[in-house]
Amino acid sequence: MASDLADLLSDSAAALIEGTPKRLFIGGCWVTPASEDRFDVDDPADGTIIAGVADGSPADAIKCIDAAEAAASTWSSHSPRSRSDILMECFHAMHRRAEDLAVLISVESGKALTDARAEVSYAAEFFRWFAEEAVRIPGDLGLAPFGTGRIAVQHQPVGISLLITPWNFPAAMAARKIAPALAAGCTCILKPAAETPLTALALAEIVHEAGAPPGTLNVLTTSRPAEAVKVMLDDGRIRKLSFTGSTSVGKLLLRQAAEHVVNCSMELGGNAPFIVFDDADIDAALNGALTAKMRNAGETCIAANRFLVQSDVYEAFAAKLAERMNRIVVGRGRYTATECGPLISKNALEKVSTLVDQAAVHGGRILTGGGTLESDGYYYPPTVIADVDPGSEILNREIFGPVAPLVRFDSEDQAIRLANDTEYGLAAYIFTRDVQKGLRVADRIDAGMVAINRGSLSDVAAPFGGMKHSGIGREGGTYGILEYLETKYISISW
Ligand code: SIN
């Protein structure tokens, strides 16, 4: 494990946490809940408590809706250009505060500082992208087929938006929702994950200072998300729900949202296949595997979850992957040498460890990793398991950890069958030198996103989202803003 003898960053990290707001952000003000309740945020590197954050109640949730409602008509009548200018200022402000934000993300989520820095830049790009989109909201004017009039189509803000974000990308997932919501002219309520509220509060400060009027963005931190979210969805004024998180919670929210027919975007779990054909450039495939598996210690919904490798290159790929994974430096996220930080929680650690143990019991060969690391933190060693039994739980669950299970295949058809043998359909990776084969396989894979000869997919300019149980709707790209707009047709007698 990595260690810096003098933890030079620890004092500045403590000062940073001290200086980050810890109250609710409602109607442009930092608000203490009436109960004065707080919940603890811990450092996954050692389990110590790093901050106490305001614990919003269902009553506070309703205050957030009141504030968003009060600001709605002012914000939607702001010109697109002025909305755009505010979002562009958020982009610049994030860059000015990039290092502080990266340390904050690293401390509360545990991720390696290099991943945290990349996240800040990814998050800032959403503000820039949607600043550009705010002034390009599309519309249409057409002639009715029988010449009876004109068909005008315009888009208007869908209304108050509830944005629920996960802990694995506390800045990027919040930015990917806040920026298009504000660009479209919607006011919103952000409910960040209880594990990583500090980054969300720092972002609220940035959006506020960039000039977003009071009530346009409200932040509800809470340790009782189920209660607070239910109250908001039952209220009837929320018109949009955008959720990133697990499929099981997504399904529950869809049921709750049905009562008031709330417009939903759902970015849910994944079980990405990483397919290596025997004609692939093996070094490129290994580099891609490391990226697709180890970004954020494997805690991403698009992480390669199952490595399907063609028989002729199977043993060589497995051995080289094990060798590369074995060299990864595990340690506290903000140590400079760290490549893989701790997992988010003790529960997460236990889940990953159980999945690996079960796979081994069913005949999987652990080529590197497995077992436990001596630490108070939630560390799991980078692990490669070969010959995983097709019935193993690890091939059917989102691992969310630094573990690569390998399965052998012989033919293209078999690879596709294995790849699609899951309820999920978020991401897939294909490595082959045969471009036609790559495109043919990409067509037949049930996934919202497919990478060919690349280990990364995330791009603010691309539509991010899944098929099947992986979700509904797309975030980012030119599609992202449409999720916050409602289409209106006006029939005109010209
Ligand atoms: C996620 O894991 O939820 C998002 C990953 C990404 O946007 O790259």
Side-chain angles (χ1 to χ4, degrees):
M1 299 228 299
S3 60
D4 281 1
L5 281 178
D7 184 4
L8 294 172
L9 279 168
S10 70
D11 287 349
S12 62
L16 197 60
I17 292 164
E18 184 62 32
T20 303
K22 294 175 197 70
R23 287 182 285 170
L24 311 176
F25 187 63
I26 306 179
C29 302
W30 296 105
V31 178
T32 304
S35 63
E36 299 200 10
D37 283 351
R38 293 181 160 261
F39 64 91
D40 293 335
V41 180
D42 74 359
D43 179 349
D46 56 17
T48 56
I49 294 165
I50 55 169
V53 169
D55 199 356
S57 65
D60 296 311
I62 296 299
K63 285 186 195 149
C64 288
I65 304 184
D66 294 342
E69 185 181 37
S73 65
T74 324
W75 182 242
S76 63
S77 54
H78 259 60
S79 70
R81 175 58 67 202
S82 99
R83 297 201 295 260
S84 168
D85 288 345
I86 291 169
L87 293 172
M88 195 58 95
E89 174 49 26
C90 294
F91 163 75
H92 291 301
M94 283 197 76
H95 275 286
R96 283 194 298 273
R97 291 172 58 171
E99 195 56 18
D100 282 357
L101 286 168
V103 173
L104 200 56
I105 292 170
S106 173
V107 171
E108 66 175 351
S109 75
K111 71 174 70 178
L113 200 51
T114 40
D115 281 331
R117 287 182 180 134
E119 179 180 350
V120 174
S121 139
Y122 183 40
E125 283 303 325
F126 284 110
F127 283 110
R128 174 151 71 170
W129 177 265
F130 286 108
E132 289 158 348
E133 291 297 283
V135 291
R136 315 216 191 296
I137 293 173
D140 240 335
L141 182 65
L143 189 60
F146 292 102
T148 47
R150 304 281 165 107
I151 294 170
V153 179
Q154 66 186 42
H155 299 286
Q156 61 191 49
V158 64
I160 301 174
S161 302
L162 173 57
L163 316 175
I164 306 181
T165 50
W167 46 261
N168 62 340
F169 288 91
M173 297 304 100
R176 185 153 82 186
K177 297 184 193 303
I178 296 168
L182 298 190
C186 299
T187 57
C188 53
I189 299 144
L190 173 68
K191 204 294 292 163
E195 292 84 348
T196 54
L198 298 172
T199 307
L201 293 165
L203 272 191
E205 199 171 42
I206 285 174
V207 174
H208 179 59
E209 286 171 9
T216 45
L217 168 65
N218 306 279
V219 183
L220 182 82
T221 49
T222 180
S223 66
R224 293 161 287 167
E227 274 175 70
V229 170
K230 175 143 187 357
V231 154
M232 285 193 272
L233 290 174
D234 285 349
D235 174 88
R237 286 176 290 171
I238 298 288
R239 296 310 311 146
K240 172 79 200 182
L241 169 63
S242 179
F243 170 72
T244 296
S246 71
T247 295
S248 57
V249 174
K251 286 179 184 176
L252 183 77
L253 292 176
L254 282 168
R255 280 187 217 110
Q256 292 177 357
E259 185 57 29
H260 290 285
V261 195
V262 174
N263 178 320
C264 291
S265 302
M266 294 275 147
E267 204 269 271
L268 308 176
N271 182 4
F274 187 102
I275 307 174
V276 184
F277 285 102
D278 56 15
D279 62 353
D281 173 338
I282 294 299
D283 287 333
L286 282 165
N287 290 336
L290 267 291
T291 307
K293 180 72 256 179
M294 292 306 295
R295 173 173 174 234
N296 246 13
E299 292 179 311
T300 80
C301 56
I302 55 170
N305 213 56
R306 296 167 292 154
F307 287 80
L308 312 179
V309 186
Q310 201 156 15
S311 296
D312 282 358
V313 291
Y314 182 87
E315 290 301 342
F317 181 84
K320 285 183 179 172
L321 183 62
E323 196 259 313
R324 295 279 295 269
M325 291 280 273
N326 184 43
R327 275 199 267 138
I328 288 175
V329 181
V330 178
R332 188 181 277 272
R334 63 179 192 274
Y335 288 156
T336 42
T338 296
E339 295 168 300
C340 174
L343 300 180
I344 190 71
S345 64
K346 194 157 185 290
N347 280 349
L349 178 61
E350 281 167 7
K351 183 194 94 174
V352 172
S353 157
T354 306
L355 287 173
V356 172
D357 294 349
Q358 284 172 350
V361 167
H362 288 103
R365 272 189 295 137
I366 297 187
L367 303 184
T368 187
T372 48
L373 292 173
E374 214 34 64
S375 166
D376 289 337
Y378 314 131
Y379 296 97
Y380 197 80
T383 297
V384 177
I385 323 171
D387 305 341
V388 175
D389 183 83
S392 295
E393 181 77 350
I394 201 163
L395 299 178
N396 294 312
R397 289 270 301 274
E398 213 177 12
I399 304 170
F400 248 61
V403 178
L406 267 61
V407 174
R408 190 188 301 260
F409 72 88
D410 292 310
S411 68
E412 186 177 317
D413 278 347
Q414 191 194 2
I416 292 166
R417 223 175 19 255
L418 288 169
N420 288 338
D421 185 20
T422 168
E423 68 183 16
Y424 296 106
L426 190 59
Y429 303 85
I430 301 165
F431 278 78
T432 170
R433 282 197 172 91
D434 178 345
V435 176
Q436 279 198 328
K437 177 160 66 183
L439 293 171
R440 189 167 66 230
V441 174
D443 270 354
R444 293 178 62 197
I445 286 192
D446 302 331
M449 299 173 280
V450 182
I452 301 179
N453 294 328
R454 303 196 65 212
S456 92
L457 276 160
S458 309
D459 192 320
V460 298
F464 190 105
M467 297 176 174
K468 302 199 287 189
H469 292 222
S470 287
I472 302 170
R474 294 295 180 266
E475 295 190 292
T478 50
Y479 306 84
I481 197 165
L482 299 177
E483 303 279 322
Y484 296 90
L485 291 166
E486 206 138 44
T487 304
K488 182 177 280 175
Y489 145 56
I490 302 176
S491 175
I492 309 170
S493 178
W494 200 252

